[in-house]
Amino acid sequence: MPLTGSWPAPNPTGAPTSAELLDFVRHAAADKELIASLPLDPEGRTWLRLEGPRGSEAWLIGWPPGTGTGWHDHADSVGAFATAEGVLKENSLAVRLPSAGWKTLELDDGVDRERHLAAGRSRAFGTHHVHEVLNESSVEHAVSVHAYYPPLPLMRRYSRSGAVLRLEHVEHPEDWQ
């Protein structure tokens, strides 16, 4: 689904910048007609793929009460997301993880970050950003817009038990499209 609007000046490399992705998700999250086009399911997350700026991957996602992503990263992609409706909680790690060659890591104290993103709030993140996103409401759906560049080559899924982060599996685009 295309969106119209003016975005920041293009990056000379042709890749959208983090600022451009952030502007895109903010603009899309404010588009009431776009948000209303997403069918909501009381049982599971729903999504629509959007056309992001200059080859980026973008998604409109509906979050039923009590749902979340689990711990994951977006590989070498930078990204941004904005909450359009409801409140999403993001738990993230303020540490760069090794990109390969590990299955289990013990995390240091002080690496946990928590953000609450109510409707109209947004954030951008860099490569290898490990987080989980949750709709902790017991009654309200949340809706958000996400954009990534380059388009997600894979997502690594993790489990977390206290200070131990464990790589569980790797998903590829055909797993979620």
Side-chain angles (χ1 to χ4, degrees):
M1 179 173 286
L3 285 176
T4 58
S6 68
W7 315 113
N11 181 337
T13 68
T17 64
S18 292
E20 187 173 4
L21 293 176
L22 190 59
D23 282 349
F24 173 83
V25 298
R26 286 175 175 162
H27 178 79
D31 183 334
K32 299 295 184 199
E33 186 176 323
L34 175 66
I35 302 309
S37 74
L38 179 66
L40 299 178
D41 181 333
E43 300 299 319
R45 289 191 301 152
T46 54
W47 54 86
L48 291 175
R49 182 141 188 189
L50 306 175
E51 291 181 34
R54 286 197 322 282
S56 61
E57 179 173 357
W59 297 91
L60 176 62
I61 301 175
W63 306 77
T67 58
T69 60
W71 287 95
H72 67 282
D73 71 16
H74 306 102
D76 294 322
S77 298
V78 296
F81 73 96
T83 304
E85 294 180 351
V87 177
L88 291 173
K89 176 183 176 186
E90 180 195 32
N91 294 317
S92 63
L93 300 177
V95 62
R96 184 177 172 103
L97 301 179
S99 60
W102 67 277
K103 287 282 193 183
T104 303
L105 287 176
E106 187 162 341
L107 302 170
D108 292 333
D109 289 339
V111 299
D112 290 296
R113 299 293 181 265
E114 179 180 301
R115 290 179 178 84
H116 292 269
L117 292 105
R121 302 272 322 269
S122 57
R123 74 170 322 291
F125 52 86
T127 60
H128 303 286
H129 177 70
V130 177
H131 70 164
E132 67 174 348
V133 180
L134 309 159
N135 177 4
E136 294 186 315
S137 172
S138 61
V139 294
E140 286 186 32
H141 261 81
V143 176
S144 57
V145 180
H146 303 247
Y148 311 97
Y149 190 86
L152 297 175
L154 59 88
M155 288 175 56
R156 288 178 284 257
R157 297 282 179 178
Y158 305 97
S159 62
R160 174 100 188 258
S161 178
V164 176
L165 186 70
R166 180 181 316 277
L167 176 63
E168 295 294 340
H169 68 278
V170 177
E171 294 178 357
H172 297 275
E174 59 272 14
D175 297 328
W176 64 79
Q177 293 191 30

